[in-house]
Amino acid sequence: MISQNHRISKALVVAMATGAVAPAGASAMLPAPDPLPPRPVVIVRDRSGFDWGDAGIGAAGVLGLSILAAGGIVIVTRRGPHGPTGATS
């Protein structure tokens, strides 16, 4: 029982020491930044042309849907008859 109390008090001492040191480093002030010259204003105009990125996303979506549809068709057509067909041999 004594060794467990010793571990707890040792961990408490380490936690308190860490807590006492951490705020001192966090409260350090940074030097003031050098004054920067004013930046030029850049105007970006939206081009309303063809966007290849959007076209690629659309093509990938259509390809995915086509694969799903083909898989569904294969699953449906491979099912065998479910029960007696009425044919006699």
Side-chain angles (χ1 to χ4, degrees):
M1 187 71 166
I2 293 174
S3 65
Q4 182 154 357
N5 286 341
H6 182 65
R7 278 191 226 158
I8 292 173
S9 19
K10 189 175 183 181
L12 185 61
V13 168
V14 170
M16 290 177 67
T18 304
V21 173
S27 65
M29 294 186 61
L30 298 175
D34 294 331
L36 298 173
R39 295 183 181 167
V41 176
V42 178
I43 298 174
V44 178
R45 300 203 176 181
D46 184 24
R47 294 181 3 197
S48 58
F50 188 78
D51 190 358
W52 285 100
D54 289 343
I57 292 171
V62 168
L63 179 64
L65 289 175
S66 299
I67 290 172
L68 285 174
I73 290 171
V74 167
I75 289 173
V76 169
T77 57
R78 286 197 177 183
R79 287 188 181 178
H82 297 289
T85 58
T88 58
S89 43

